[in-house]
Amino acid sequence: MVALAHTPPSADRLRAVDGFLTEAWADQVRHDERLRSLGVEVRFDRGVAHLTGAVDDPAQLRLVRAQVGRLAGVFGVWCRVRVGDRDPVVVDLGCGGTKQWPGNLGLDIFPAPGVDAVADLSGSLPLADDSVDVLFAVHILEHLIDFLPLLDECHRVLRPGGVLHVMSPWWGHVNAVADPTHVRLLDVQTIKGVCVMRPPGTPRWYPLHAGTDGASIFADLAPLGPDDDGPSATHLARFFD
């Protein structure tokens, strides 16, 4: 059974959990020979795992991401990892003056330092099909009356194996309603709806990870092709009621 947190953990608790996760991951690497030789660094920040470094092939990155995501207390797994001889193309949607990592391509409706291209996120993204490895939608969806067109655009521009990282206020926290520019309330169950309740023929998503810390919701979503299998009932049970 998935439990919803009603009181977000304190900053001290989150720091302590990050310490636990750091120790747990180091122990896992010591006992898993598949992970020992991989050049991926994992840093935990308030329950979000930040992956950087390099691997030889996509399967290795999928392995690390999956194993980190299995640790209790991880809310999301955010990746900027070089695969083979290519750096990932990472795009921050609605970045304002703050990018999740320096060097990301920043899109925003308003020009600002750090914004590389001005774009209305309620319309088409100025990005080619299958051109992006990682998309960040951090505190974006709650500002859009209808965010499904944006998710469809994210699906279009992500390469196979790409990931969309979502972070938004949880509907039960004051942050969700304190900002008058927020027009949507979201829950982890909203992510379930995105993945399994869209009409046939619309872009489909596979939830790699989803959760809430009682203040925000997090989701890591991978685009599914038309012939790809969707998530199983047992996989969905990891995250959703």
Side-chain angles (χ1 to χ4, degrees), residues 78-79 89-93 100 104-105 107 125 127 132-138 150-151 153-159 162-167 205 219-221:
W78 294 3
C79 298
V89 177
V90 185
V91 177
D92 264 299
L93 301 175
Q100 301 308 311
N104 290 359
L105 174 68
L107 302 184
L125 296 178
L127 300 165
V132 177
D133 297 289
V134 178
L135 283 168
F136 282 100
V138 176
L150 175 60
L151 294 185
E153 277 291 283
C154 291
H155 194 284
R156 176 183 66 81
V157 304
L158 279 171
R159 293 187 172 111
V163 180
L164 167 64
H165 299 304
V166 173
M167 179 181 177
W205 294 93
D220 301 332
L221 304 176

PDB file of all heavy atoms in Angstrom, residues 78-79 89-93 100 104-105 107 125 127 132-138 150-151 153-159 162-167 205 219-221:
ATOM      1  N   TRP A  78      17.753  11.839 -10.849  1.00  0.00           N
ATOM      2  CA  TRP A  78      18.034  12.828 -11.893  1.00  0.00           C
ATOM      3  C   TRP A  78      19.416  12.557 -12.475  1.00  0.00           C
ATOM      4  O   TRP A  78      20.396  12.430 -11.735  1.00  0.00           O
ATOM      5  CB  TRP A  78      17.968  14.245 -11.335  1.00  0.00           C
ATOM      6  CG  TRP A  78      16.587  14.658 -10.893  1.00  0.00           C
ATOM      7  CD1 TRP A  78      15.464  13.894 -10.888  1.00  0.00           C
ATOM      8  CD2 TRP A  78      16.205  15.948 -10.398  1.00  0.00           C
ATOM      9  NE1 TRP A  78      14.399  14.624 -10.429  1.00  0.00           N
ATOM     10  CE2 TRP A  78      14.815  15.875 -10.129  1.00  0.00           C
ATOM     11  CE3 TRP A  78      16.895  17.137 -10.167  1.00  0.00           C
ATOM     12  CZ2 TRP A  78      14.106  16.987  -9.621  1.00  0.00           C
ATOM     13  CZ3 TRP A  78      16.189  18.228  -9.670  1.00  0.00           C
ATOM     14  CH2 TRP A  78      14.802  18.148  -9.409  1.00  0.00           C
ATOM     15  N   CYS A  79      19.481  12.485 -13.807  1.00  0.00           N
ATOM     16  CA  CYS A  79      20.699  12.014 -14.472  1.00  0.00           C
ATOM     17  C   CYS A  79      21.262  13.045 -15.443  1.00  0.00           C
ATOM     18  O   CYS A  79      20.521  13.640 -16.233  1.00  0.00           O
ATOM     19  CB  CYS A  79      20.420  10.731 -15.269  1.00  0.00           C
ATOM     20  SG  CYS A  79      19.865   9.348 -14.253  1.00  0.00           S
ATOM     21  N   VAL A  89      22.069  15.539 -24.094  1.00  0.00           N
ATOM     22  CA  VAL A  89      21.391  16.806 -24.344  1.00  0.00           C
ATOM     23  C   VAL A  89      20.328  16.961 -23.263  1.00  0.00           C
ATOM     24  O   VAL A  89      19.387  16.169 -23.193  1.00  0.00           O
ATOM     25  CB  VAL A  89      20.746  16.836 -25.745  1.00  0.00           C
ATOM     26  CG1 VAL A  89      19.973  18.139 -25.949  1.00  0.00           C
ATOM     27  CG2 VAL A  89      21.811  16.661 -26.817  1.00  0.00           C
ATOM     28  N   VAL A  90      20.510  17.974 -22.406  1.00  0.00           N
ATOM     29  CA  VAL A  90      19.627  18.162 -21.255  1.00  0.00           C
ATOM     30  C   VAL A  90      18.958  19.529 -21.364  1.00  0.00           C
ATOM     31  O   VAL A  90      19.639  20.537 -21.572  1.00  0.00           O
ATOM     32  CB  VAL A  90      20.408  18.059 -19.931  1.00  0.00           C
ATOM     33  CG1 VAL A  90      19.455  18.126 -18.741  1.00  0.00           C
ATOM     34  CG2 VAL A  90      21.228  16.771 -19.887  1.00  0.00           C
ATOM     35  N   VAL A  91      17.647  19.563 -21.225  1.00  0.00           N
ATOM     36  CA  VAL A  91      16.878  20.797 -21.395  1.00  0.00           C
ATOM     37  C   VAL A  91      16.086  21.071 -20.121  1.00  0.00           C
ATOM     38  O   VAL A  91      15.402  20.186 -19.595  1.00  0.00           O
ATOM     39  CB  VAL A  91      15.919  20.696 -22.598  1.00  0.00           C
ATOM     40  CG1 VAL A  91      15.066  21.967 -22.709  1.00  0.00           C
ATOM     41  CG2 VAL A  91      16.703  20.465 -23.889  1.00  0.00           C
ATOM     42  N   ASP A  92      16.201  22.316 -19.627  1.00  0.00           N
ATOM     43  CA  ASP A  92      15.406  22.809 -18.506  1.00  0.00           C
ATOM     44  C   ASP A  92      14.220  23.588 -19.049  1.00  0.00           C
ATOM     45  O   ASP A  92      14.405  24.617 -19.713  1.00  0.00           O
ATOM     46  CB  ASP A  92      16.248  23.738 -17.624  1.00  0.00           C
ATOM     47  CG  ASP A  92      16.866  23.039 -16.445  1.00  0.00           C
ATOM     48  OD1 ASP A  92      16.106  22.518 -15.616  1.00  0.00           O
ATOM     49  OD2 ASP A  92      18.106  23.041 -16.338  1.00  0.00           O
ATOM     50  N   LEU A  93      13.009  23.122 -18.780  1.00  0.00           N
ATOM     51  CA  LEU A  93      11.808  23.818 -19.217  1.00  0.00           C
ATOM     52  C   LEU A  93      11.371  24.816 -18.151  1.00  0.00           C
ATOM     53  O   LEU A  93      11.258  24.470 -16.970  1.00  0.00           O
ATOM     54  CB  LEU A  93      10.678  22.818 -19.469  1.00  0.00           C
ATOM     55  CG  LEU A  93      10.956  21.748 -20.527  1.00  0.00           C
ATOM     56  CD1 LEU A  93       9.797  20.761 -20.589  1.00  0.00           C
ATOM     57  CD2 LEU A  93      11.180  22.384 -21.890  1.00  0.00           C
ATOM     58  N   GLN A 100      18.974  23.282 -13.487  1.00  0.00           N
ATOM     59  CA  GLN A 100      19.277  22.177 -12.591  1.00  0.00           C
ATOM     60  C   GLN A 100      20.749  21.812 -12.631  1.00  0.00           C
ATOM     61  O   GLN A 100      21.313  21.391 -11.625  1.00  0.00           O
ATOM     62  CB  GLN A 100      18.416  20.963 -12.950  1.00  0.00           C
ATOM     63  CG  GLN A 100      16.927  21.234 -12.871  1.00  0.00           C
ATOM     64  CD  GLN A 100      16.514  21.833 -11.553  1.00  0.00           C
ATOM     65  OE1 GLN A 100      16.893  21.336 -10.484  1.00  0.00           O
ATOM     66  NE2 GLN A 100      15.731  22.900 -11.594  1.00  0.00           N
ATOM     67  N   ASN A 104      22.965  23.027 -19.119  1.00  0.00           N
ATOM     68  CA  ASN A 104      21.680  22.636 -19.690  1.00  0.00           C
ATOM     69  C   ASN A 104      21.187  23.722 -20.636  1.00  0.00           C
ATOM     70  O   ASN A 104      21.486  24.911 -20.458  1.00  0.00           O
ATOM     71  CB  ASN A 104      20.640  22.432 -18.588  1.00  0.00           C
ATOM     72  CG  ASN A 104      20.904  21.207 -17.730  1.00  0.00           C
ATOM     73  OD1 ASN A 104      21.870  20.469 -17.954  1.00  0.00           O
ATOM     74  ND2 ASN A 104      20.058  20.992 -16.745  1.00  0.00           N
ATOM     75  N   LEU A 105      20.391  23.336 -21.615  1.00  0.00           N
ATOM     76  CA  LEU A 105      19.694  24.297 -22.463  1.00  0.00           C
ATOM     77  C   LEU A 105      18.455  24.762 -21.715  1.00  0.00           C
ATOM     78  O   LEU A 105      17.635  23.948 -21.295  1.00  0.00           O
ATOM     79  CB  LEU A 105      19.300  23.653 -23.792  1.00  0.00           C
ATOM     80  CG  LEU A 105      18.441  24.504 -24.735  1.00  0.00           C
ATOM     81  CD1 LEU A 105      19.250  25.682 -25.264  1.00  0.00           C
ATOM     82  CD2 LEU A 105      17.902  23.652 -25.881  1.00  0.00           C
ATOM     83  N   LEU A 107      14.887  26.842 -21.503  1.00  0.00           N
ATOM     84  CA  LEU A 107      13.754  27.420 -22.222  1.00  0.00           C
ATOM     85  C   LEU A 107      12.825  28.089 -21.221  1.00  0.00           C
ATOM     86  O   LEU A 107      12.532  27.528 -20.160  1.00  0.00           O
ATOM     87  CB  LEU A 107      12.970  26.348 -22.981  1.00  0.00           C
ATOM     88  CG  LEU A 107      13.695  25.497 -24.014  1.00  0.00           C
ATOM     89  CD1 LEU A 107      12.706  24.568 -24.708  1.00  0.00           C
ATOM     90  CD2 LEU A 107      14.419  26.346 -25.037  1.00  0.00           C
ATOM     91  N   LEU A 125       7.315  23.008 -28.579  1.00  0.00           N
ATOM     92  CA  LEU A 125       8.683  23.258 -28.148  1.00  0.00           C
ATOM     93  C   LEU A 125       9.577  23.429 -29.369  1.00  0.00           C
ATOM     94  O   LEU A 125       9.456  22.669 -30.341  1.00  0.00           O
ATOM     95  CB  LEU A 125       9.189  22.088 -27.302  1.00  0.00           C
ATOM     96  CG  LEU A 125       8.475  21.841 -25.971  1.00  0.00           C
ATOM     97  CD1 LEU A 125       9.058  20.614 -25.275  1.00  0.00           C
ATOM     98  CD2 LEU A 125       8.561  23.058 -25.065  1.00  0.00           C
ATOM     99  N   LEU A 127      12.187  22.348 -30.510  1.00  0.00           N
ATOM    100  CA  LEU A 127      13.166  21.272 -30.454  1.00  0.00           C
ATOM    101  C   LEU A 127      12.762  20.202 -31.466  1.00  0.00           C
ATOM    102  O   LEU A 127      11.570  19.936 -31.666  1.00  0.00           O
ATOM    103  CB  LEU A 127      13.227  20.654 -29.047  1.00  0.00           C
ATOM    104  CG  LEU A 127      13.618  21.604 -27.907  1.00  0.00           C
ATOM    105  CD1 LEU A 127      13.280  20.974 -26.565  1.00  0.00           C
ATOM    106  CD2 LEU A 127      15.100  21.953 -27.981  1.00  0.00           C
ATOM    107  N   VAL A 132      16.484  15.021 -27.598  1.00  0.00           N
ATOM    108  CA  VAL A 132      16.818  15.357 -26.214  1.00  0.00           C
ATOM    109  C   VAL A 132      16.931  14.074 -25.396  1.00  0.00           C
ATOM    110  O   VAL A 132      16.137  13.140 -25.566  1.00  0.00           O
ATOM    111  CB  VAL A 132      15.751  16.292 -25.603  1.00  0.00           C
ATOM    112  CG1 VAL A 132      16.058  16.589 -24.145  1.00  0.00           C
ATOM    113  CG2 VAL A 132      15.658  17.594 -26.404  1.00  0.00           C
ATOM    114  N   ASP A 133      17.915  14.040 -24.495  1.00  0.00           N
ATOM    115  CA  ASP A 133      18.085  12.885 -23.611  1.00  0.00           C
ATOM    116  C   ASP A 133      17.369  13.058 -22.277  1.00  0.00           C
ATOM    117  O   ASP A 133      16.840  12.094 -21.725  1.00  0.00           O
ATOM    118  CB  ASP A 133      19.576  12.641 -23.352  1.00  0.00           C
ATOM    119  CG  ASP A 133      20.327  12.287 -24.606  1.00  0.00           C
ATOM    120  OD1 ASP A 133      20.123  11.174 -25.128  1.00  0.00           O
ATOM    121  OD2 ASP A 133      21.121  13.126 -25.095  1.00  0.00           O
ATOM    122  N   VAL A 134      17.392  14.277 -21.751  1.00  0.00           N
ATOM    123  CA  VAL A 134      16.809  14.540 -20.431  1.00  0.00           C
ATOM    124  C   VAL A 134      16.056  15.863 -20.478  1.00  0.00           C
ATOM    125  O   VAL A 134      16.586  16.865 -20.965  1.00  0.00           O
ATOM    126  CB  VAL A 134      17.889  14.597 -19.332  1.00  0.00           C
ATOM    127  CG1 VAL A 134      17.259  14.919 -17.972  1.00  0.00           C
ATOM    128  CG2 VAL A 134      18.665  13.284 -19.254  1.00  0.00           C
ATOM    129  N   LEU A 135      14.837  15.851 -19.967  1.00  0.00           N
ATOM    130  CA  LEU A 135      14.037  17.063 -19.817  1.00  0.00           C
ATOM    131  C   LEU A 135      13.716  17.269 -18.343  1.00  0.00           C
ATOM    132  O   LEU A 135      13.340  16.321 -17.641  1.00  0.00           O
ATOM    133  CB  LEU A 135      12.727  16.956 -20.591  1.00  0.00           C
ATOM    134  CG  LEU A 135      12.765  17.151 -22.104  1.00  0.00           C
ATOM    135  CD1 LEU A 135      11.437  16.709 -22.701  1.00  0.00           C
ATOM    136  CD2 LEU A 135      13.049  18.598 -22.463  1.00  0.00           C
ATOM    137  N   PHE A 136      13.858  18.503 -17.873  1.00  0.00           N
ATOM    138  CA  PHE A 136      13.435  18.868 -16.533  1.00  0.00           C
ATOM    139  C   PHE A 136      12.196  19.741 -16.620  1.00  0.00           C
ATOM    140  O   PHE A 136      12.197  20.762 -17.317  1.00  0.00           O
ATOM    141  CB  PHE A 136      14.534  19.642 -15.797  1.00  0.00           C
ATOM    142  CG  PHE A 136      15.641  18.796 -15.261  1.00  0.00           C
ATOM    143  CD1 PHE A 136      16.847  18.685 -15.944  1.00  0.00           C
ATOM    144  CD2 PHE A 136      15.495  18.107 -14.070  1.00  0.00           C
ATOM    145  CE1 PHE A 136      17.875  17.905 -15.455  1.00  0.00           C
ATOM    146  CE2 PHE A 136      16.520  17.316 -13.569  1.00  0.00           C
ATOM    147  CZ  PHE A 136      17.711  17.221 -14.264  1.00  0.00           C
ATOM    148  N   ALA A 137      11.134  19.351 -15.910  1.00  0.00           N
ATOM    149  CA  ALA A 137       9.950  20.184 -15.748  1.00  0.00           C
ATOM    150  C   ALA A 137       9.764  20.401 -14.251  1.00  0.00           C
ATOM    151  O   ALA A 137       8.967  19.728 -13.591  1.00  0.00           O
ATOM    152  CB  ALA A 137       8.724  19.526 -16.364  1.00  0.00           C
ATOM    153  N   VAL A 138      10.568  21.315 -13.700  1.00  0.00           N
ATOM    154  CA  VAL A 138      10.599  21.569 -12.262  1.00  0.00           C
ATOM    155  C   VAL A 138       9.754  22.800 -11.964  1.00  0.00           C
ATOM    156  O   VAL A 138      10.066  23.903 -12.414  1.00  0.00           O
ATOM    157  CB  VAL A 138      12.050  21.757 -11.771  1.00  0.00           C
ATOM    158  CG1 VAL A 138      12.078  22.130 -10.289  1.00  0.00           C
ATOM    159  CG2 VAL A 138      12.850  20.476 -12.006  1.00  0.00           C
ATOM    160  N   LEU A 150       1.937  19.859 -23.235  1.00  0.00           N
ATOM    161  CA  LEU A 150       3.372  19.954 -22.970  1.00  0.00           C
ATOM    162  C   LEU A 150       3.973  18.567 -22.801  1.00  0.00           C
ATOM    163  O   LEU A 150       5.064  18.283 -23.332  1.00  0.00           O
ATOM    164  CB  LEU A 150       3.635  20.798 -21.726  1.00  0.00           C
ATOM    165  CG  LEU A 150       5.105  20.864 -21.277  1.00  0.00           C
ATOM    166  CD1 LEU A 150       5.994  21.460 -22.366  1.00  0.00           C
ATOM    167  CD2 LEU A 150       5.252  21.647 -19.976  1.00  0.00           C
ATOM    168  N   LEU A 151       3.295  17.678 -22.089  1.00  0.00           N
ATOM    169  CA  LEU A 151       3.811  16.313 -21.938  1.00  0.00           C
ATOM    170  C   LEU A 151       3.906  15.620 -23.292  1.00  0.00           C
ATOM    171  O   LEU A 151       4.857  14.866 -23.546  1.00  0.00           O
ATOM    172  CB  LEU A 151       2.926  15.516 -20.984  1.00  0.00           C
ATOM    173  CG  LEU A 151       2.900  15.955 -19.523  1.00  0.00           C
ATOM    174  CD1 LEU A 151       2.075  14.979 -18.700  1.00  0.00           C
ATOM    175  CD2 LEU A 151       4.305  16.078 -18.944  1.00  0.00           C
ATOM    176  N   GLU A 153       4.505  17.097 -26.119  1.00  0.00           N
ATOM    177  CA  GLU A 153       5.679  17.679 -26.764  1.00  0.00           C
ATOM    178  C   GLU A 153       6.966  17.088 -26.176  1.00  0.00           C
ATOM    179  O   GLU A 153       7.929  16.820 -26.901  1.00  0.00           O
ATOM    180  CB  GLU A 153       5.668  19.199 -26.599  1.00  0.00           C
ATOM    181  CG  GLU A 153       4.821  19.933 -27.602  1.00  0.00           C
ATOM    182  CD  GLU A 153       5.419  19.851 -28.990  1.00  0.00           C
ATOM    183  OE1 GLU A 153       6.389  20.577 -29.276  1.00  0.00           O
ATOM    184  OE2 GLU A 153       4.941  19.031 -29.800  1.00  0.00           O
ATOM    185  N   CYS A 154       6.981  16.887 -24.869  1.00  0.00           N
ATOM    186  CA  CYS A 154       8.150  16.257 -24.245  1.00  0.00           C
ATOM    187  C   CYS A 154       8.361  14.862 -24.805  1.00  0.00           C
ATOM    188  O   CYS A 154       9.503  14.443 -25.083  1.00  0.00           O
ATOM    189  CB  CYS A 154       7.959  16.197 -22.729  1.00  0.00           C
ATOM    190  SG  CYS A 154       8.002  17.797 -21.891  1.00  0.00           S
ATOM    191  N   HIS A 155       7.284  14.132 -24.984  1.00  0.00           N
ATOM    192  CA  HIS A 155       7.362  12.786 -25.557  1.00  0.00           C
ATOM    193  C   HIS A 155       7.953  12.845 -26.964  1.00  0.00           C
ATOM    194  O   HIS A 155       8.781  12.018 -27.350  1.00  0.00           O
ATOM    195  CB  HIS A 155       5.968  12.173 -25.578  1.00  0.00           C
ATOM    196  CG  HIS A 155       5.928  10.705 -25.821  1.00  0.00           C
ATOM    197  ND1 HIS A 155       6.131  10.153 -27.067  1.00  0.00           N
ATOM    198  CD2 HIS A 155       5.703   9.659 -24.981  1.00  0.00           C
ATOM    199  CE1 HIS A 155       6.029   8.845 -26.983  1.00  0.00           C
ATOM    200  NE2 HIS A 155       5.769   8.503 -25.737  1.00  0.00           N
ATOM    201  N   ARG A 156       7.539  13.838 -27.728  1.00  0.00           N
ATOM    202  CA  ARG A 156       8.001  13.963 -29.120  1.00  0.00           C
ATOM    203  C   ARG A 156       9.501  14.231 -29.192  1.00  0.00           C
ATOM    204  O   ARG A 156      10.197  13.638 -30.035  1.00  0.00           O
ATOM    205  CB  ARG A 156       7.255  15.113 -29.811  1.00  0.00           C
ATOM    206  CG  ARG A 156       7.731  15.405 -31.235  1.00  0.00           C
ATOM    207  CD  ARG A 156       7.024  16.598 -31.841  1.00  0.00           C
ATOM    208  NE  ARG A 156       7.333  17.845 -31.168  1.00  0.00           N
ATOM    209  CZ  ARG A 156       8.445  18.567 -31.384  1.00  0.00           C
ATOM    210  NH1 ARG A 156       9.360  18.131 -32.237  1.00  0.00           N
ATOM    211  NH2 ARG A 156       8.642  19.698 -30.739  1.00  0.00           N
ATOM    212  N   VAL A 157      10.023  15.080 -28.323  1.00  0.00           N
ATOM    213  CA  VAL A 157      11.414  15.510 -28.471  1.00  0.00           C
ATOM    214  C   VAL A 157      12.392  14.575 -27.761  1.00  0.00           C
ATOM    215  O   VAL A 157      13.601  14.616 -28.056  1.00  0.00           O
ATOM    216  CB  VAL A 157      11.608  16.963 -27.964  1.00  0.00           C
ATOM    217  CG1 VAL A 157      10.653  17.904 -28.681  1.00  0.00           C
ATOM    218  CG2 VAL A 157      11.463  17.070 -26.461  1.00  0.00           C
ATOM    219  N   LEU A 158      11.900  13.724 -26.849  1.00  0.00           N
ATOM    220  CA  LEU A 158      12.810  12.815 -26.156  1.00  0.00           C
ATOM    221  C   LEU A 158      13.233  11.664 -27.059  1.00  0.00           C
ATOM    222  O   LEU A 158      12.422  11.091 -27.798  1.00  0.00           O
ATOM    223  CB  LEU A 158      12.155  12.254 -24.899  1.00  0.00           C
ATOM    224  CG  LEU A 158      12.167  13.137 -23.657  1.00  0.00           C
ATOM    225  CD1 LEU A 158      11.293  12.517 -22.568  1.00  0.00           C
ATOM    226  CD2 LEU A 158      13.580  13.370 -23.144  1.00  0.00           C
ATOM    227  N   ARG A 159      14.517  11.323 -26.983  1.00  0.00           N
ATOM    228  CA  ARG A 159      15.010  10.139 -27.666  1.00  0.00           C
ATOM    229  C   ARG A 159      14.504   8.878 -26.963  1.00  0.00           C
ATOM    230  O   ARG A 159      14.185   8.912 -25.769  1.00  0.00           O
ATOM    231  CB  ARG A 159      16.545  10.124 -27.659  1.00  0.00           C
ATOM    232  CG  ARG A 159      17.186  11.223 -28.486  1.00  0.00           C
ATOM    233  CD  ARG A 159      18.695  11.010 -28.553  1.00  0.00           C
ATOM    234  NE  ARG A 159      19.314  11.927 -29.476  1.00  0.00           N
ATOM    235  CZ  ARG A 159      20.118  12.933 -29.125  1.00  0.00           C
ATOM    236  NH1 ARG A 159      20.389  13.136 -27.845  1.00  0.00           N
ATOM    237  NH2 ARG A 159      20.645  13.732 -30.036  1.00  0.00           N
ATOM    238  N   GLY A 162      15.178   8.245 -23.265  1.00  0.00           N
ATOM    239  CA  GLY A 162      15.246   9.520 -22.567  1.00  0.00           C
ATOM    240  C   GLY A 162      14.341   9.542 -21.349  1.00  0.00           C
ATOM    241  O   GLY A 162      13.524   8.640 -21.128  1.00  0.00           O
ATOM    242  N   VAL A 163      14.467  10.603 -20.544  1.00  0.00           N
ATOM    243  CA  VAL A 163      13.713  10.705 -19.290  1.00  0.00           C
ATOM    244  C   VAL A 163      13.217  12.135 -19.110  1.00  0.00           C
ATOM    245  O   VAL A 163      13.955  13.099 -19.349  1.00  0.00           O
ATOM    246  CB  VAL A 163      14.569  10.300 -18.068  1.00  0.00           C
ATOM    247  CG1 VAL A 163      13.757  10.417 -16.783  1.00  0.00           C
ATOM    248  CG2 VAL A 163      15.087   8.873 -18.218  1.00  0.00           C
ATOM    249  N   LEU A 164      11.978  12.240 -18.657  1.00  0.00           N
ATOM    250  CA  LEU A 164      11.404  13.509 -18.217  1.00  0.00           C
ATOM    251  C   LEU A 164      11.349  13.503 -16.702  1.00  0.00           C
ATOM    252  O   LEU A 164      10.730  12.620 -16.101  1.00  0.00           O
ATOM    253  CB  LEU A 164       9.993  13.683 -18.796  1.00  0.00           C
ATOM    254  CG  LEU A 164       9.143  14.803 -18.204  1.00  0.00           C
ATOM    255  CD1 LEU A 164       9.757  16.172 -18.468  1.00  0.00           C
ATOM    256  CD2 LEU A 164       7.705  14.731 -18.720  1.00  0.00           C
ATOM    257  N   HIS A 165      12.007  14.497 -16.078  1.00  0.00           N
ATOM    258  CA  HIS A 165      11.985  14.638 -14.624  1.00  0.00           C
ATOM    259  C   HIS A 165      10.971  15.712 -14.244  1.00  0.00           C
ATOM    260  O   HIS A 165      11.079  16.864 -14.690  1.00  0.00           O
ATOM    261  CB  HIS A 165      13.368  15.032 -14.089  1.00  0.00           C
ATOM    262  CG  HIS A 165      14.445  14.031 -14.370  1.00  0.00           C
ATOM    263  ND1 HIS A 165      14.359  12.724 -13.985  1.00  0.00           N
ATOM    264  CD2 HIS A 165      15.655  14.165 -14.999  1.00  0.00           C
ATOM    265  CE1 HIS A 165      15.467  12.077 -14.355  1.00  0.00           C
ATOM    266  NE2 HIS A 165      16.250  12.928 -14.974  1.00  0.00           N
ATOM    267  N   VAL A 166       9.988  15.337 -13.430  1.00  0.00           N
ATOM    268  CA  VAL A 166       8.933  16.249 -12.998  1.00  0.00           C
ATOM    269  C   VAL A 166       9.045  16.501 -11.502  1.00  0.00           C
ATOM    270  O   VAL A 166       9.281  15.575 -10.722  1.00  0.00           O
ATOM    271  CB  VAL A 166       7.535  15.660 -13.310  1.00  0.00           C
ATOM    272  CG1 VAL A 166       6.434  16.534 -12.705  1.00  0.00           C
ATOM    273  CG2 VAL A 166       7.340  15.511 -14.810  1.00  0.00           C
ATOM    274  N   MET A 167       8.882  17.766 -11.119  1.00  0.00           N
ATOM    275  CA  MET A 167       8.751  18.128  -9.701  1.00  0.00           C
ATOM    276  C   MET A 167       7.723  19.245  -9.626  1.00  0.00           C
ATOM    277  O   MET A 167       7.813  20.237 -10.351  1.00  0.00           O
ATOM    278  CB  MET A 167      10.091  18.594  -9.124  1.00  0.00           C
ATOM    279  CG  MET A 167      10.031  19.008  -7.665  1.00  0.00           C
ATOM    280  SD  MET A 167      11.666  19.563  -7.077  1.00  0.00           S
ATOM    281  CE  MET A 167      11.265  20.065  -5.396  1.00  0.00           C
ATOM    282  N   TRP A 205       3.609   6.885 -21.418  1.00  0.00           N
ATOM    283  CA  TRP A 205       4.765   7.047 -20.548  1.00  0.00           C
ATOM    284  C   TRP A 205       4.912   5.839 -19.629  1.00  0.00           C
ATOM    285  O   TRP A 205       3.920   5.222 -19.234  1.00  0.00           O
ATOM    286  CB  TRP A 205       4.619   8.297 -19.684  1.00  0.00           C
ATOM    287  CG  TRP A 205       4.625   9.582 -20.450  1.00  0.00           C
ATOM    288  CD1 TRP A 205       3.542  10.263 -20.922  1.00  0.00           C
ATOM    289  CD2 TRP A 205       5.781  10.342 -20.832  1.00  0.00           C
ATOM    290  NE1 TRP A 205       3.941  11.407 -21.565  1.00  0.00           N
ATOM    291  CE2 TRP A 205       5.304  11.480 -21.532  1.00  0.00           C
ATOM    292  CE3 TRP A 205       7.150  10.178 -20.654  1.00  0.00           C
ATOM    293  CZ2 TRP A 205       6.170  12.445 -22.042  1.00  0.00           C
ATOM    294  CZ3 TRP A 205       8.005  11.132 -21.161  1.00  0.00           C
ATOM    295  CH2 TRP A 205       7.522  12.260 -21.846  1.00  0.00           C
ATOM    296  N   ALA A 219       8.459  12.720 -10.252  1.00  0.00           N
ATOM    297  CA  ALA A 219       8.225  11.628 -11.187  1.00  0.00           C
ATOM    298  C   ALA A 219       9.337  11.617 -12.227  1.00  0.00           C
ATOM    299  O   ALA A 219       9.745  12.678 -12.708  1.00  0.00           O
ATOM    300  CB  ALA A 219       6.868  11.766 -11.871  1.00  0.00           C
ATOM    301  N   ASP A 220       9.829  10.446 -12.535  1.00  0.00           N
ATOM    302  CA  ASP A 220      10.768  10.222 -13.636  1.00  0.00           C
ATOM    303  C   ASP A 220      10.037   9.376 -14.663  1.00  0.00           C
ATOM    304  O   ASP A 220       9.680   8.223 -14.381  1.00  0.00           O
ATOM    305  CB  ASP A 220      12.031   9.490 -13.149  1.00  0.00           C
ATOM    306  CG  ASP A 220      12.768  10.242 -12.057  1.00  0.00           C
ATOM    307  OD1 ASP A 220      12.677  11.485 -12.029  1.00  0.00           O
ATOM    308  OD2 ASP A 220      13.424   9.581 -11.232  1.00  0.00           O
ATOM    309  N   LEU A 221       9.806   9.935 -15.846  1.00  0.00           N
ATOM    310  CA  LEU A 221       8.976   9.291 -16.862  1.00  0.00           C
ATOM    311  C   LEU A 221       9.783   9.027 -18.122  1.00  0.00           C
ATOM    312  O   LEU A 221      10.495   9.912 -18.606  1.00  0.00           O
ATOM    313  CB  LEU A 221       7.773  10.167 -17.205  1.00  0.00           C
ATOM    314  CG  LEU A 221       6.877  10.574 -16.027  1.00  0.00           C
ATOM    315  CD1 LEU A 221       5.778  11.512 -16.504  1.00  0.00           C
ATOM    316  CD2 LEU A 221       6.288   9.343 -15.356  1.00  0.00           C
TER     317      LEU A 221
END
